[in-house]
Amino acid sequence: MMKDKLTETFRTETCSVSHCAILDDVSGGATAQRSPQNSPKTGPQVEKEMNEDVAVGKGESTIGRHRRLCRKNPQHLILALFLFAVLSASGVSLAVVYGRSILDQEQQEALLLASETGDFFSKNLDDAILPLFSLAQFANELEVFRSLPSKVGMAYKNGSLPFMPTKLDLGVPTHRNATGVCDDPALVNRFEKIAGDIKKNARMDGILVNLQLVPDAVVCLAHPMNNTEDFPPGVYMDNSGAIGHDLLNDPARKFIARATVPAEDVVVAGPLTLRQCQDCDPVVEKGFIVRLPIASDTNVITVDDVGYNRWGFAVAIINWKELVLRSDVYEMFEGEALEFQLTRTDRKYNPETSEFTEKVVILAESSSFVDSTGRQVTAALPTTNNEWEITVKYCTNGCVPWFPWVILATLVLSLCIAVLVYLIFSQQQLHSDALAEKQAQLVLNSKHAALKERELNDFIAHEVRNPLSAALSATSFVSTSVNEKEPLLTADSRKAVREDVQIIESSLKFINDLLRSMLDLHRAKSNQLNLEQSPTDIKRDILDPAASMLYQRDAMFSVEVHCPENLITMVDALRLKQVVLNLARNSSKFVDKGYVRLRAEFLGDGLLINVEDSGPGIPLDKRKQLFDQFQESLDSLSQGTGIGLSLCKKLVDLMGGTIQLDESFESGMEGHPGTKLDIFIPCTCVSVDSLSTCVNELATKGSLETSERSESTEESKFEGTLPEELHVLFVDDDMVLRKLFTRSLKRICPKWNVLEASSGESALKLVETESFDVIFLDQYMTSVEKQLLGTETARKLRSMGVESLICGLSANDMEEAFMSAGSDAFMMKPFPCKPDALSQELLRVFGLRDVEMCLET
C-alpha cells in the first residue's frame, strides 16, 4: 500500500511519457544498479531492445522513408527536380534581365547629369574667357598698350625694368619695379575704362573678378585694382601686389607662363593661391588663372632659347568657389542620390626639386565620394583644353538591393512548388507508412512508460521493503512483550524491547531519509533550492555540529575535527552542513575502527573541506558511478538510500563548487584503505575585524530596538554586582548573534569565559567534558535535519544531572515552556546591548543568590 501511494505521489509531481506520468526528474533514465540475479535486465539493456524495435516498427525515419519512396516511384522525384530547375532558371533569368535594365538606366542618368554639369562649367568658363580676346585686340591696336613690351623688357636685358627685393622666400626675385611705366595716369585711366566696359559687358559679376594685361610676361595693368564689387560686404580683393610680377622668373608660376607663350589658345591653371592675396579672405584667396597669348609682329619673347612673336598675355582671374556655388552641383547630385568628383590635370612646380609634375587636382567633390561604394562613370568636360573630367558614382546604396532576395525567393518558391508536387504524388504512400509508424510509436511509448514505472517500483520496493519489514516485525515483538501478564520483569526482556525499539526507530528514520532525500534531489534538479549566503564559522557552524551528530559513546572509531579557529566564510551554511553531514554519515556506516576525520582550510579563492575515514574504501568498479542515482550499497552489510551521494553532488553544483573522490588517499591503517572526498566551494573569507564591525552595527541596532526595555529596567533597578568570573555557554544557530552576545558580555564582564555552540547536540557534547555556571539556550535552531529545540535541550541537560543555571532565549513568549523544561530563567530577544541595561537584565534573570549558589556548588 505504501509503495502504491509513493508511486502515485511521484507520478503527480513529475513529467509524463505518453499517457503514463513517471519519475523522470528523480530517476532520470538511470537504473538501480543491481546484480544479474536481482534484476534480469538493466535499464540500458531494455532501452537497447526498444531502440531495435523502433528500427523495425518505425522504419528508417525521414531519410530512409524517402529513399524507399524514391525506389518505389522514382518518376515523382525526377518530375519534382525538373520542375525546380525550370522554375529556378526562369525566375533567375527574369531577375537578371530586369536588374541589368535598371543598371543601364542608372548609368545613363549619371552620364546625362555629368554632361549637364560639364556644359554648365564649359559655358561659364567660355563666357569668362571671351573678354580676353577683346582685351588682346586693344593691346595690339592701341599705341598706348602696344608700346608697353618695349618699356618693360625681358628680364636682365638692357633697358628693362629692374627687379625689386623679393618678399617671398623663393631664392630669386619675382617682381619688377614698374614705377613710371605701369602707373602712368593716362595709361591707367585708359585701361580702367576699357577693362571696366569689357568686364561689365561680360555679365560675370562675382565670377570674373579681375582682368590683367601682362606685357613680356610681367603684370602691368589690373582691373579692378581693389575689387569690392564682386564679394560680400567687408570682403575685397587687393590686386596691387600683382603689379610688376614677372611670371617667367617666378619659380612657382613660370611653368604656366612658359606653357602660355608658345600656345595658340588659352591656358587655364588652378585653382591657385594668388600672389597678391597672401592675406586675403578665404573667399578670394584662390582662383582660376586664364591666360591668352597675344601675338605681335614687333616683340619677341624667348623661352628655352626659342623666340616667339608675342606681345605678352591677357589674363582673367575666375572666382572658382562662386562658380561652383552658382552651379548647384552639390544639391543636384545629392538630390539624385549620386556622388561626384570634378578633376583637372595640371602641372605643378616643386621649388625644392625644380621639377614639373602632372597632378590630378580635385576641383570639387561630394562629401562622401571617397568612402562611398558602387558603380561609376567618367566623362570628359568640353572645356577649353579638354583636361577636365567628372566622375559620377551611382548605385551607392545598390541599384538592385532586392536582387539577392529575389534570387533567394525564386529558389525557395521553386523548391516549395517542386516539393509540393512531390508530396502530392507521394501522399498516398506516405499516409499508409505514417499509419504503420504511428502504431509502432504507440508500442514504443508503452514499453518506455512500463520500463520507467518498473524501475521506480523496483527501487522503492527494494529500498522500503526491508526496513519496513524489520519495523513491522520489531513492532510485533514489542507488542507481544508489553501485552504479557507481567511485562518486562527480566533484564533480558527489557534489553530485547530496547533493541526492538532501536530497530523500529532506525528503520523509520531510514524511510524518512529516503523520502526527504528524493524530494531534495528533485528540488535540486529543478533549481528550486534557494541559496542564502551569510558569514559562517566553519568549525562551530558546520564541522562541530556534524561531529556531534556522529559521536557515539561506545563507538570503536573517533570523530576528529581539524579546522583553524575563526575560519569564517560567506556560504550557505544550511546546504553545506547537509553535504558534510551526508558524507560523514556515509563514512560512519562503513568504519568499524579508526576514525572519521573532517578537515577544512581556505585556499585563497574558496573553501576546501575533506571528509576522510579509515573504512574499507570504495571498489574500483563502483567509483565511476559514485555520484549516480540509485546506487546499491557500497559494502555487503550496510545499505543506503542510493541517492545520498547524488544529492550531495547536486547541492555542491548548486553552490558552484566541485566534489570528487581522492583516489590516491591512504588511511594509514593496514587493511583499511579508507576513503577521502574533497569538497571545494568558491567563496570569500571574512576577517574577524570586518565581522566585529558588523557586530558593532548590529549592537547599535539592537540597542535602539531595546531602548524602551532599558528605560523600564532603569525604573526598577536591581541592586548588587555581577561576579567577576563565570564559565558561560551560549547556544544559538546564528553566528552573528553569538558573536554579538559574547562581545556584549565581555564589555561588562571581561573575565567571563564564554564558549559558543550552534546546536543543542553540540551543547550536550560540551557539558560532558566541561562544567558551566550559566547556559543560555535559543529555542529554534535551523538545520538540514531536525535538531533539538531549546526546551528539549534543557530537559536533556537536567536529565544528565547538569546543575548549571539555564536561561532560555526566544523572540516569542516561551517563558512558560522553558520553565516547564527545567530552565531557571527566560530572556526575550533581542537582548540589550548597552552595558548598564545588560547588567540589569542579567541581575534580573538569575539574581545574585542563584549565581552564588552555582559558584558554591
Side-chain angles (χ1 to χ4, degrees):
M1 181 65 69
M2 179 177 290
K3 182 187 73 173
D4 296 339
K5 291 182 178 181
L6 288 173
T7 303
E8 185 64 26
T9 301
F10 287 129
R11 283 183 176 180
T12 305
E13 295 181 352
T14 54
C15 59
S16 63
V17 176
S18 183
H19 303 292
C20 298
I22 63 173
L23 187 62
D24 278 344
D25 281 337
V26 176
S27 62
T31 59
Q33 299 180 3
R34 316 198 200 288
S35 58
Q37 59 268 25
N38 292 334
S39 178
K41 290 183 180 179
T42 63
Q45 290 174 334
V46 177
E47 290 281 357
K48 183 178 180 180
E49 291 180 1
M50 288 193 299
N51 290 336
E52 292 174 353
D53 293 341
V54 171
V56 175
K58 188 178 179 180
E60 304 82 1
S61 186
T62 304
I63 297 177
R65 180 170 54 204
H66 286 288
R67 284 179 179 174
R68 179 162 36 85
L69 290 177
C70 290
R71 286 195 297 267
K72 289 183 178 179
N73 299 289
Q75 65 274 15
H76 297 164
L77 181 60
I78 295 174
L79 177 60
L81 293 175
F82 176 76
L83 183 60
F84 172 74
V86 171
L87 293 176
S88 299
S90 302
V92 170
S93 299
L94 290 174
V96 169
V97 171
Y98 182 66
R100 186 170 297 171
S101 66
I102 292 178
L103 290 176
D104 292 342
Q105 182 180 355
E106 292 288 336
Q107 183 180 17
Q108 292 301 320
E109 292 178 356
L111 285 172
L112 179 60
L113 192 57
S115 177
E116 292 176 354
T117 304
D119 291 342
F120 172 83
F121 285 112
S122 178
K123 178 181 180 304
N124 280 271
L125 287 174
D126 289 343
D127 291 344
I129 292 171
L130 285 177
L132 294 181
F133 293 94
S134 299
L135 197 60
Q137 185 176 359
F138 283 109
N140 273 324
E141 293 181 356
L142 297 180
E143 180 61 27
V144 67
F145 300 128
R146 188 170 57 243
S147 60
L148 282 176
S150 62
K151 297 177 182 180
V152 174
M154 295 293 293
Y156 304 110
K157 288 186 177 182
N158 293 331
S160 63
L161 296 177
F163 280 98
M164 294 190 302
T166 181
K167 296 181 180 180
L168 301 174
D169 187 16
L170 298 177
V172 294
T174 59
H175 281 67
R176 304 273 196 96
N177 186 355
T179 304
V181 176
C182 296
D183 59 351
D184 180 69
L187 175 66
V188 173
N189 291 335
R190 189 64 184 273
F191 177 76
E192 288 286 344
K193 179 70 169 80
I194 294 172
D197 291 340
I198 292 175
K199 183 176 181 297
K200 181 179 179 181
N201 293 329
R203 297 180 181 178
M204 298 289 290
D205 295 340
I207 296 176
L208 180 60
V209 295
N210 197 250
L211 292 173
Q212 299 175 0
L213 281 179
V214 187
D216 274 341
V218 177
V219 179
C220 185
L221 298 169
H223 173 80
M225 186 64 70
N226 190 5
N227 189 349
T228 59
E229 59 193 38
D230 291 315
F231 302 103
V235 179
Y236 62 92
M237 179 180 179
D238 185 3
N239 294 289
S240 60
I243 303 302
H245 188 194
D246 191 334
L247 301 179
L248 289 174
N249 206 56
D250 187 345
R253 295 290 188 264
K254 66 181 180 180
F255 77 96
I256 305 174
R258 288 171 177 266
T260 305
V261 170
E264 298 296 334
D265 202 351
V266 295
V267 176
V268 181
L272 298 174
T273 301
L274 303 178
R275 279 279 185 258
Q276 65 270 30
C277 274
Q278 298 296 323
D279 299 322
C280 291
D281 190 278
V283 176
V284 299
E285 182 181 357
K286 292 186 178 183
F288 269 99
I289 302 176
V290 183
R291 296 181 176 89
L292 174 66
I294 302 175
S296 174
D297 296 332
T298 59
N299 190 58
V300 176
I301 299 178
T302 303
V303 176
D304 295 331
D305 298 328
V306 178
Y308 298 93
N309 293 327
R310 294 290 186 265
W311 179 90
F313 314 139
V315 178
I317 298 178
I318 299 173
N319 187 348
W320 173 248
K321 290 184 178 180
E322 182 65 22
L323 181 60
V324 172
L325 289 176
R326 293 188 185 182
S327 69
D328 293 331
V329 64
Y330 293 101
E331 293 79 4
M332 184 166 52
F333 279 90
E334 183 179 358
E336 298 294 333
L338 301 174
E339 306 290 341
F340 80 96
Q341 184 183 69
L342 181 62
T343 62
R344 121 177 211 99
T345 303
D346 208 350
R347 298 186 71 206
K348 293 290 184 180
Y349 175 75
N350 188 345
E352 297 179 357
T353 61
S354 299
E355 295 179 352
F356 297 94
T357 57
E358 284 193 353
K359 182 179 180 181
V360 176
V361 180
I362 298 176
L363 304 178
E365 67 177 358
S366 54
S367 58
S368 302
F369 180 83
V370 176
D371 299 328
S372 62
T373 59
R375 299 171 177 266
Q376 66 181 36
V377 292
T378 301
L381 272 62
T383 55
T384 305
N385 49 15
N386 290 327
E387 294 179 349
W388 293 43
E389 289 183 342
I390 183 168
T391 301
V392 180
K393 287 186 178 181
Y394 60 98
C395 295
T396 55
N397 297 322
C399 291
V400 285
W402 46 264
F403 186 76
W405 297 104
V406 169
I407 297 299
L408 179 61
T410 300
L411 296 176
V412 171
L413 182 60
S414 301
L415 179 62
C416 292
I417 295 175
V419 171
L420 180 62
V421 171
Y422 173 78
L423 292 177
I424 291 176
F425 283 104
S426 306
Q427 184 175 7
Q428 185 64 37
Q429 187 172 354
L430 287 174
H431 181 67
S432 60
D433 291 345
L435 290 177
E437 290 179 4
K438 184 177 180 181
Q439 296 296 327
Q441 187 64 41
L442 291 175
V443 174
L444 172 65
N445 290 342
S446 300
K447 289 183 178 181
H448 193 266
L451 172 66
K452 295 300 180 182
E453 185 173 358
R454 188 178 69 188
E455 288 178 356
L456 177 61
N457 292 341
D458 289 347
F459 173 76
I460 295 177
H462 178 271
E463 299 298 336
V464 175
R465 182 176 58 247
N466 293 337
L468 187 60
S469 298
L472 291 174
S473 299
T475 303
S476 177
F477 294 147
V478 171
S479 177
T480 301
S481 298
V482 299
N483 289 327
E484 294 178 351
K485 292 182 179 181
E486 296 180 353
L488 308 178
L489 292 180
T490 65
D492 292 340
S493 62
R494 290 192 294 272
K495 180 179 179 181
V497 169
R498 282 196 295 270
E499 291 176 352
D500 291 337
V501 170
Q502 186 176 3
I503 292 173
I504 296 171
E505 181 180 3
S506 61
S507 299
L508 295 180
K509 185 176 183 302
F510 175 86
I511 296 174
N512 179 65
D513 290 345
L514 171 66
L515 299 181
R516 290 188 61 187
S517 297
M518 293 181 73
L519 181 59
D520 284 345
L521 182 61
H522 175 69
R523 288 175 177 174
K525 291 187 65 175
S526 58
N527 294 325
Q528 294 179 358
L529 293 179
N530 297 321
L531 297 180
E532 296 181 1
Q533 292 188 347
S534 61
T536 303
D537 190 328
I538 300 302
K539 184 176 186 299
R540 289 186 173 87
D541 293 336
I542 304 297
L543 302 186
D544 283 349
S548 65
M549 293 181 189
L550 297 179
Y551 176 76
Q552 301 178 18
R553 189 181 299 273
D554 299 327
M556 299 298 294
F557 61 89
S558 63
V559 180
E560 304 175 9
V561 175
H562 298 273
C563 178
E565 292 291 337
N566 294 324
L567 177 55
I568 302 173
T569 62
M570 294 295 294
V571 295
D572 188 322
L574 185 66
R575 300 305 168 193
L576 184 58
K577 188 187 299 183
Q578 184 176 5
V579 172
V580 173
L581 186 58
N582 278 344
L583 298 179
R585 279 186 169 173
N586 272 352
S587 296
S588 66
K589 293 177 182 178
F590 302 108
V591 177
D592 52 6
K593 66 176 181 177
Y595 60 85
V596 173
R597 184 178 298 143
L598 306 178
R599 295 180 182 270
E601 60 178 323
F602 191 77
L603 300 182
D605 57 347
L607 176 67
L608 177 63
I609 297 180
N610 310 120
V611 180
E612 308 170 0
D613 64 62
S614 58
I618 299 176
L620 293 176
D621 59 338
K622 296 182 179 180
R623 293 184 180 182
K624 292 183 179 180
Q625 294 83 26
L626 185 63
F627 297 105
D628 290 349
Q629 301 177 44
F630 308 137
Q631 291 293 313
E632 64 180 5
S633 175
L634 299 179
D635 70 349
S636 58
L637 298 177
S638 302
Q639 67 172 2
T641 63
I643 58 177
L645 291 179
S646 177
L647 176 60
C648 291
K649 180 69 165 60
K650 293 295 182 183
L651 292 176
V652 171
D653 291 343
L654 191 63
M655 291 185 284
T658 58
I659 180 173
Q660 59 184 4
L661 174 68
D662 185 354
E663 300 190 16
S664 63
F665 175 73
E666 292 289 341
S667 68
M669 298 182 61
E670 185 177 357
H672 297 78
T675 302
K676 179 185 177 184
L677 290 169
D678 299 330
I679 308 166
F680 178 78
I681 306 296
C683 60
T684 57
C685 187
V686 181
S687 64
V688 177
D689 294 338
S690 62
L691 185 62
S692 299
T693 303
C694 178
V695 170
N696 287 333
E697 294 177 355
L698 290 176
T700 303
K701 182 179 179 180
S703 299
L704 295 176
E705 291 175 347
T706 58
S707 59
E708 294 182 359
R709 188 192 307 152
S710 299
E711 294 175 0
S712 63
T713 303
E714 291 177 358
E715 294 177 358
S716 57
K717 290 186 177 179
F718 291 87
E719 297 181 355
T721 58
L722 295 171
E724 292 185 359
E725 296 183 358
L726 280 180
H727 198 40
V728 179
L729 175 61
F730 187 79
V731 185
D732 196 307
D733 64 314
D734 193 329
M735 185 200 67
V736 175
L737 289 180
R738 295 200 305 268
K739 299 294 182 184
L740 175 61
F741 187 81
T742 301
R743 185 179 180 88
S744 300
L745 288 182
K746 288 292 186 180
R747 289 170 61 186
I748 60 175
C749 301
K751 294 185 178 180
W752 283 17
N753 183 24
V754 182
L755 294 184
E756 303 173 8
S758 61
S759 64
E761 288 82 352
S762 299
L764 296 177
K765 184 177 179 181
L766 284 173
V767 298
E768 291 181 358
T769 57
E770 296 189 48
S771 177
F772 297 93
D773 299 315
V774 182
I775 300 176
F776 292 92
L777 289 174
D778 185 32
Q779 173 65 1
Y780 299 106
M781 289 172 278
T782 60
S783 176
V784 295
E785 295 188 354
K786 183 181 183 304
Q787 291 190 349
L788 293 175
L789 299 174
T791 51
E792 295 172 346
T793 305
R795 289 191 182 91
K796 285 188 175 289
L797 288 172
R798 293 307 186 201
S799 65
M800 294 170 61
V802 176
E803 297 180 357
S804 304
L805 188 148
I806 299 177
C807 178
L809 298 173
S810 179
N812 300 322
D813 187 8
M814 301 291 297
E815 183 174 2
E816 183 177 355
F818 268 103
M819 293 301 182
S820 301
S823 298
D824 301 292
F826 175 78
M827 182 188 298
M828 286 286 293
K829 286 186 175 181
F831 49 83
C833 294
K834 290 184 177 180
D836 293 340
L838 183 58
S839 298
Q840 288 295 311
E841 187 70 1
L842 292 175
L843 289 173
R844 183 196 66 79
V845 166
F846 49 80
L848 283 175
R849 292 183 180 179
D850 293 338
V851 175
E852 291 173 356
M853 291 177 59
C854 292
L855 291 174
E856 291 175 359
T857 57

